């Protein structure tokens, strides 16, 4: 019995009563006398018809449907969290319910989420953020003075001395000053202006913002954005959302994913027939490919951008992640400066960094910055206006970014522990990069280039024609089919190379090297066993 004695609850009661009233009869509620029995059958049929009409009116057509939604949003794809990750989530639920699988856990090697993979946070960074979050801890003897000093400085830059207040849209001023000082130290004295620093919600927010302000025109004058293939899917997703034109240039897999200026020129010249290419994106160290660009390569790219009047975007979030001997990170800003005033005063450059990668792995704080140089003064105002729409980046993320650029220095009490933790993370990553490369290259039908930097392997896999045909029958890309089979049979979640882009007829997958060494060894052994069985099955 629902309220008022009507069965089925309030909603059902309302529909029944409405139907009786439409039929010209009072509702049969217990508080009212029962209706006359005469003509009950005839009238109940009319009541049913009226009730159906009321129900039809209640469920009107939705305003927002796949047909009516923004087509640019529908076109967005983000492979790192795509179908295979959704499938991994379903399998995890099944395991929790006790469904039997040939494995006991899903290993999510699809994304560079360091702490989720067991990496320990950097103590000093967490101490400072904790002090900023709960300033009463500033009186605690459990926290070192160098952490307290940084926390007090950050809090003095916050409204009301609270991390919970909005900051300026460009970010807290003292943190932007620290970022500028960090860039000057990193680049051997190349000047950096805090006014050119914009704190962001991770590097992704900065990249999307700059692209938003760059895209314009229509038809053949629509902005073309040159991106590396393979690329990080943020770029293709942002380009789709902005309805810009994606212009692919291919990295040279046979030459350790090197960037060739002749390939840039080919790509640019072909694109001029259908769009206006004016943006060139570089990822260094590479994601998903792990290459580290040498100085000569960067000089060639800068000269090309200067010559062709291209706005440069330098994604440098993996600048701390360089492992191979003979490889060194060079910032585009530093090389641009050293090439002389003709380049340094003219080439427009936005470069990006983040708390999410490096040795920090603080993905959840969503801290980051971009430095933008040689921007037209009027455009600078437009950029600040655009940033002000989202008010400000997370202030806790800004505080975390400050510790990345302003870590303990020699002589401070936290320095020895900080350096020990930082070097432990980076040395461990270097060991895992070499382990992954070596183990993959022992497997027939898999080839992996050296992992010079970043935190991923992007091995090339041989897929037999029989498997390609079966993939087509399932309406899947061959490497998606391969990765789905790998997930279903081993519990290992990796991302198919088709989600990053690859040359026609080649197949890859991206896998993070972040799991602990022992778990990584198990993962690699499982991939090896799976691949050999896969080749045997589809040979």
């Amino acid at each position: 019995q629902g309220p008022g004695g009507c069965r089925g609850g309030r909603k059902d009661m309302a529909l029944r009563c409405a139907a009786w009233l439409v039929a010209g009869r009072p509702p049969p509620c217990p508080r009212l006398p029962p209706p006359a029995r005469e003509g009950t059958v005839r009238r109940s049929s009319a009541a049913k018809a009226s009730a159906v009409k009321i129900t039809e009116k209640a469920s009107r057509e939705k305003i927002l449907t796949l047909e009516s939604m923004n087509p640019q949003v529908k076109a967005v794809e983000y492979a790192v969290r795509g179908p295979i990750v959704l499938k991994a989530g379903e399998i995890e639920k099944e395991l929790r319910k006790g469904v039997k699988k040939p494995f006991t856990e899903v290993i999510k090697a699809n994304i560079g989420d360091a702490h989720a993979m067991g990496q320990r946070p950097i103590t000093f960074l967490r101490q400072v953020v904790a002090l900023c979050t709960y300033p009463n801890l500033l009186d605690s003897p459990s926290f070192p003075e160098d952490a307290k000093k940084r926390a007090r400085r950050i809090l003095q830059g916050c409204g009301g001395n609270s991390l919970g207040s909005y900051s300026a849209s460009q970010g807290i001023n003292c943190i932007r000053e620290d970022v500028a000082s960090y860039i000057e130290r990193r680049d051997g004295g190349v000047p950096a202006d805090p006014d050119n620093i914009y704190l962001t919600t991770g590097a992704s927010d900065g990249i999307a913002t700059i692209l938003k302000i760059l895209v314009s025109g229509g038809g053949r004058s629509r902005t073309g954005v040159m991106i590396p293939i393979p690329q990080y899917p943020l770029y293709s997703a942002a380009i789709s959302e902005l309805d810009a034109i994606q212009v692919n240039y291919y990295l040279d897999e046979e030459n350790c994913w090197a960037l060739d200026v002749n390939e840039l020129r080919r790509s640019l010249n072909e694109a001029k027939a259908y769009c206006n290419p004016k943006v060139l994106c570089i990822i260094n160290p590479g994601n998903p490919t792990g290459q580290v660009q040498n100085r000569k390569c960067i000089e060639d790219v800068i000269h090309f951008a200067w010559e062709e009047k291209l706005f440069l975007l330098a994604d440098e979030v993996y600048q701390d992640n360089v492992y191979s001997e003979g490889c060194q990170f060079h910032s585009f800003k530093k090389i641009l400066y050293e090439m002389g005033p003709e380049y340094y005063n003219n080439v427009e450059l936005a470069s990006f960094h983040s708390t999410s990668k490096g040795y920090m792995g603080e993905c959840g704080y969503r801290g980051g910055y971009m430095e933008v140089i040689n921007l037209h003064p009027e455009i600078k105002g437009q950029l600040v206006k655009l940033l002000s729409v989202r008010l400000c980046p997370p202030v806790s993320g800004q505080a975390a970014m400050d510790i990345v650029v302003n870590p303990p220095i020699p002589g401070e009490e936290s320095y020895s522990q900080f350096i020990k933790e930082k070097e432990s993370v980076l040395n461990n990553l270097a060991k895992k990069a070499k382990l992954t490369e070596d183990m993959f290259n022992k497997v027939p039908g898999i080839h992996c280039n050296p992992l010079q930097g970043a935190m991923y392997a992007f091995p090339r896999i041989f897929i037999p024609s029989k498997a390609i045909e079966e993939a087509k029958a399932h309406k899947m890309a061959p490497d998606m089919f391969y990765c789905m089979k790998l997930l279903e049979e081993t519990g290992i979640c990796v991302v198919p190379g088709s989600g990053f882009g690859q040359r026609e007829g080649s197949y890859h997958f991206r896998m993070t090297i972040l799991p602990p060494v022992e778990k990584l060894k198990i993962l690699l052994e499982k991939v090896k066993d799976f691949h050999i069985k896969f080749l045997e099955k589809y040979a």
Side-chain angles (χ1 to χ4, degrees), residues 196-514:
N196 292 335
I197 307 297
Y198 304 81
L199 300 181
T200 57
T201 308
S204 301
D205 171 50
I207 292 164
T209 300
I210 287 292
L211 284 174
K212 192 177 289 185
I213 210 165
L214 277 162
V215 172
S216 64
R220 288 180 62 178
S221 65
R222 189 66 174 165
T223 297
V225 182
M226 300 179 69
I227 63 172
I229 297 296
Q231 52 106 18
Y232 178 51
L234 161 70
Y235 291 93
S236 54
I239 291 165
S240 291
E241 187 179 350
L242 295 169
D243 199 22
I245 307 300
Q246 180 174 316
V247 179
N248 297 339
Y249 66 87
Y250 289 90
L251 302 176
D252 183 1
E253 183 172 11
E254 305 307 316
N255 192 20
C256 203
W257 299 111
L259 196 166
D260 183 357
V261 172
N262 291 325
E263 169 60 14
L264 288 179
R265 188 161 283 110
R266 176 208 62 79
S267 173
L268 179 79
N269 290 338
E270 288 182 8
K272 285 178 179 177
Y274 55 86
C275 69
N276 175 26
K278 65 179 183 183
V279 187
L280 173 57
C281 301
I282 309 291
I283 308 174
N284 179 48
N287 175 12
T289 44
Q291 85 285 4
V292 178
Q293 292 177 5
N294 61 39
R295 183 189 179 91
K296 175 68 165 59
C297 176
I298 295 173
E299 287 176 351
D300 290 345
V301 170
I302 291 171
H303 177 74
F304 177 79
W306 172 81
E307 189 177 49
E308 298 291 347
K309 296 182 180 177
L310 297 172
F311 195 112
L312 265 177
L313 303 189
D315 182 340
E316 298 175 336
V317 301
Y318 297 99
Q319 57 190 259
D320 289 304
N321 300 104
V322 177
Y323 316 124
S324 293
E325 285 188 25
C327 289
Q328 181 184 349
F329 171 75
H330 301 280
S331 78
F332 269 73
K333 163 88 175 292
K334 180 185 180 186
I335 304 301
L336 178 62
Y337 185 83
E338 292 173 350
M339 287 175 72
E342 188 174 10
Y343 294 94
Y344 184 68
N345 294 328
N346 290 293
V347 174
E348 292 154 274
L349 169 69
S351 50
F352 308 90
H353 196 17
S354 166
T355 62
S356 301
K357 309 304 175 185
Y359 57 90
M360 307 79 65
E362 295 283 7
C363 305
Y365 278 119
R366 308 308 300 132
Y369 75 75
M370 61 180 174
E371 182 187 23
V372 190
I373 61 172
N374 291 325
L375 206 57
H376 190 289
E378 291 177 359
I379 294 298
K380 203 166 188 175
Q382 294 295 317
L383 177 57
V384 172
K385 178 186 75 175
L386 182 60
L387 291 169
S388 70
V389 173
R390 55 93 160 113
L391 297 175
C392 68
V395 180
S396 55
Q398 295 185 48
M401 190 74 244
D402 188 68
I403 308 313
V404 175
V405 298
N406 185 25
I409 58 176
E412 291 186 310
E413 63 181 297
S414 299
Y415 178 74
S416 59
Q417 183 182 7
F418 169 77
I419 285 296
K420 182 181 177 183
E421 291 177 353
K422 175 182 175 179
E423 289 182 351
S424 173
V425 171
L426 294 176
N427 290 339
N428 206 23
L429 283 168
K431 180 181 177 181
K432 291 188 284 190
K434 185 63 177 160
L435 171 71
T436 303
E437 176 196 341
D438 290 346
M439 287 191 71
F440 273 146
N441 285 328
K442 290 175 183 175
V443 183
I446 295 183
H447 173 72
C448 185
N449 273 325
L451 279 62
Q452 296 175 339
M455 48 184 63
Y456 313 98
F458 196 67
R460 183 169 181 164
I461 52 175
F462 172 70
I463 299 181
S465 56
K466 192 176 173 184
I468 293 171
E469 290 303 315
E470 188 167 331
K472 286 178 183 175
H474 286 86
K475 296 183 179 178
M476 286 184 185
D479 50 6
M480 172 63 86
F481 176 76
Y482 178 96
C483 292
M484 198 64 81
K485 289 286 186 186
L486 176 67
L487 173 63
E488 291 168 349
E489 294 180 25
T490 68
I492 295 169
C493 180
V494 297
V495 190
S498 49
F500 301 88
Q502 55 199 354
R503 284 195 180 274
E504 188 72 28
S506 71
Y507 306 108
H508 304 77
F509 63 79
R510 191 192 79 163
M511 185 197 87
T512 182
I513 60 170
L514 287 171

